[in-house]
Amino acid sequence: MYIGYSEAETFLRNCKDAVIITHQSPDGDCIGAGFGLKDILAELGIRSRVVCSDEFPSRYDFMTNTGAGEDFEPETVIAVDIADTKLMGKYKDIYGDKIQLCIDHHISNINYAEKTLLRPKATAACEIIYDLAKFMGVEISRHCAMCLYTGIATDSGCFKYDCTTPRAHEIAAEMKRSYDINFAEINRAMFEIKTKARMILESKFVNLMEEYLDNKLVIASVTLDMMKEIGINSDEFEGLAPMTIQLEGTEVGVLIKEREPNTFKCSFRSADSVNVSEICRSLGGGGHEKAAGCSIEGCTLQEAENKIVEAVRKAMA
């Protein structure tokens, strides 16, 4: 059931001992939304903890170092920035059919929760969390402000993607004006600092790019063997997918990352008018019009690439 801010406020003010689930392969938005919501619940005197199927990358320590929350048997189950329960990883089996509230901005959300606060035009889930806190009249701490700014900045590509709303700029300005967050330090950590392994991978990236469909589609694939050879961790891939649409003339770019043998995470980007959310939906995934993803399992890399080429061909036709 879709709800508005009023119903979400009633739910949160009356909830108890909440577990907040973020999606696997966590990024700045889901982490920021999870820990931002945790701070808001703390202001209401409600204890909560944030969980993820994968470890939080170390560059987000400034958000997660407050602790994910004490251990308790949850009475409330909340999901943030998750369009589909299969994105919960191991927590799908534990909580997948018990989600009481979902706060999300993905148009591909399958409405799996009892209550869903969905704002598909929002830049990030953190934008919704901020507006919810303001609607509720809850004090936003400096730590919460850093979390929410980080989520908005990362999902907007540091405010350069066309999903960036005027509201996102307004919230970022408020974070800087009222909470004195070090936005330059956050932006440097999110967009500039890289490990040596990540820089090596980027230097090899042009050789990984294969062109299809009259050069309108670019696919770059990174295998487990390649990751082992370079020494790169899977959590260092954030922000790499947009490089697939930097080549002149490219309309759709796809980054394929092998998660385990015969299992591939595919991140799609659209340079202009192609709706990659619909393409990913046809492959069992979803997301936004210009940025979406899916998983392809039980096949070789070549077979996965063939499926992607065919799906993009149909979409372009």
Side-chain angles (χ1 to χ4, degrees):
M1 178 178 70
Y2 293 111
I3 63 172
Y5 287 112
S6 179
E7 297 96 325
E9 176 181 14
T10 299
F11 177 88
L12 292 176
R13 288 190 180 277
N14 290 280
C15 76
K16 183 180 179 182
D17 291 351
V19 61
I20 303 169
I21 305 170
T22 58
H23 59 68
Q24 61 185 7
S25 300
D27 58 18
D29 190 30
C30 79
I31 298 172
F35 281 87
L37 180 59
K38 180 179 182 294
D39 287 344
I40 291 168
L41 290 176
E43 291 291 332
L44 300 175
I46 299 167
R47 64 178 180 173
S48 63
R49 69 171 178 268
V50 183
V51 301
C52 183
S53 185
D54 298 324
E55 289 187 11
F56 296 125
S58 59
R59 65 178 170 276
Y60 298 113
D61 283 351
F62 68 96
M63 291 194 287
T64 62
N65 62 10
T66 58
E70 61 187 291
D71 191 23
F72 54 81
E73 186 62 31
E75 295 186 24
T76 305
V77 184
I78 302 171
V80 293
D81 198 38
I82 301 179
D84 193 313
T85 55
K86 62 188 177 185
L87 299 175
M88 296 177 183
K90 66 183 180 183
Y91 287 106
K92 180 181 184 297
D93 293 335
I94 303 172
Y95 297 119
D97 59 352
K98 300 179 177 66
I99 309 299
Q100 294 158 279
L101 173 66
C102 172
I103 300 174
D104 190 25
H105 69 127
H106 294 96
I107 196 170
S108 59
N109 188 288
I110 64 171
N111 197 20
Y112 57 85
E114 293 176 16
K115 302 176 188 296
T116 302
L117 178 61
L118 182 66
R119 293 292 182 270
K121 292 185 178 180
T123 300
C126 283
E127 183 178 319
I128 307 171
I129 298 291
Y130 175 87
D131 284 338
L132 179 58
K134 287 297 184 180
F135 182 89
M136 296 173 65
V138 176
E139 183 71 23
I140 294 178
S141 66
R142 185 171 183 274
H143 177 265
C144 182
M146 289 194 297
C147 291
L148 301 184
Y149 175 87
T150 301
I152 292 171
T154 52
D155 253 28
S156 66
C158 208
F159 306 93
K160 70 181 180 183
Y161 298 157
D162 64 1
C163 67
T164 309
T165 63
R167 183 63 175 152
H169 286 285
E170 292 167 356
I171 295 171
E174 180 64 18
M175 298 294 99
K176 300 172 188 179
R177 178 170 48 245
S178 300
Y179 301 96
D180 192 31
I181 64 170
N182 192 333
F183 68 93
E185 186 176 272
I186 292 174
N187 290 342
R188 174 166 162 73
M190 295 300 103
F191 304 107
E192 294 182 4
I193 296 177
K194 302 171 184 177
T195 65
K196 185 175 180 180
R198 168 62 182 256
M199 296 184 76
I200 291 173
L201 178 59
E202 288 187 6
S203 71
K204 295 176 178 291
F205 204 76
V206 67
N207 294 322
L208 299 176
M209 298 167 68
E210 298 288 342
E211 298 174 66
Y212 302 88
L213 307 180
D214 296 325
N215 303 333
K216 294 179 181 179
L217 167 64
V218 164
I219 299 178
S221 302
V222 183
T223 65
L224 290 172
D225 288 341
M226 191 182 305
M227 285 186 267
K228 183 178 179 180
E229 177 186 348
I230 297 173
I232 193 169
N233 297 319
S234 60
D235 62 10
E236 295 180 87
F237 279 76
E238 188 176 349
L240 195 61
M243 291 181 66
T244 59
I245 54 172
Q246 290 181 357
L247 187 64
E248 185 178 12
T250 301
E251 295 185 18
V252 175
V254 185
L255 173 65
I256 301 178
K257 181 180 70 175
E258 188 176 18
R259 288 182 62 92
E260 55 188 67
N262 299 323
T263 299
F264 306 94
K265 179 186 177 185
C266 309
S267 299
F268 286 65
R269 295 294 184 271
S270 172
D272 189 15
S273 60
V274 180
N275 186 334
V276 291
S277 177
E278 290 300 321
I279 296 174
C280 288
R281 194 191 300 270
S282 73
L283 294 169
H288 303 290
E289 289 186 4
K290 298 295 183 69
C294 67
S295 292
I296 299 178
E297 303 175 1
C299 64
T300 66
L301 175 60
Q302 184 62 62
E303 290 168 339
E305 291 174 345
N306 291 343
K307 289 181 180 181
I308 290 170
V309 172
E310 184 58 29
V312 175
R313 187 198 311 276
K314 289 181 179 178
M316 288 184 172

